[in-house]
């Protein structure tokens, strides 16, 4: 077998790529929410509170995205899970 990527690995890679797309989409939506909150007619205090909440969500989404991308790179580099110790 060697460097050939198994079907299971390819399937895992595709699933991960799909999850990354979804996470990126979520991130974009959160960034739009943040812009909308900052441009709203709410009081400065309300804007700041809303912005902080959304920024916390963005941080969390960014962390998720980073770990998904790291897992994808690892999968692609290894060509699957190496079972040899």
């Amino acid at each position: 077998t060697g460097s050939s990527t198994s079907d299971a690995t390819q399937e895992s890679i595709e699933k991960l790529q799909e999850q990354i797309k979804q996470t990126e989409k979520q991130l974009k939506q959160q960034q739009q929410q943040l812009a909308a909150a900052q441009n709203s007619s709410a009081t400065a205090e309300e804007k700041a509170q809303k912005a902080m909440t959304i920024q916390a969500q963005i941080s969390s989404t960014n962390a998720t995205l980073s770990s998904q991308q790291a897992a994808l790179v690892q999968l692609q580099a290894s060509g699957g899970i190496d079972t040899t110790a």
Side-chain angles (χ1 to χ4, degrees):
T1 51
S3 64
S4 67
T5 306
S6 69
D7 289 344
T9 302
Q10 191 56 42
E11 199 174 306
S12 296
I13 288 172
E14 286 167 12
K15 276 184 187 163
L16 208 43
Q17 286 172 329
E18 188 54 41
Q19 288 173 345
I20 288 170
K21 271 187 206 163
Q22 292 302 318
T23 304
E24 287 172 337
K25 194 171 160 185
Q26 186 181 354
L27 187 59
K28 194 174 268 186
Q29 287 170 338
Q30 289 169 342
Q31 288 166 337
Q32 288 168 345
Q33 288 171 351
L34 181 59
Q38 290 169 334
N39 294 324
S40 75
S41 57
T43 65
E45 192 179 329
E46 287 171 333
K47 283 187 201 182
Q49 274 188 319
K50 183 109 172 136
M52 284 192 334
T53 302
I54 297 169
Q55 283 169 335
Q57 292 170 347
I58 288 173
S59 289
S60 173
T61 304
N62 265 324
T64 300
L65 186 59
S66 292
S67 61
Q68 288 172 334
Q69 288 170 332
L72 181 61
V73 167
Q74 204 171 8
L75 255 182
Q76 289 172 327
S78 66
I81 309 306
D82 189 1
T83 53
T84 56

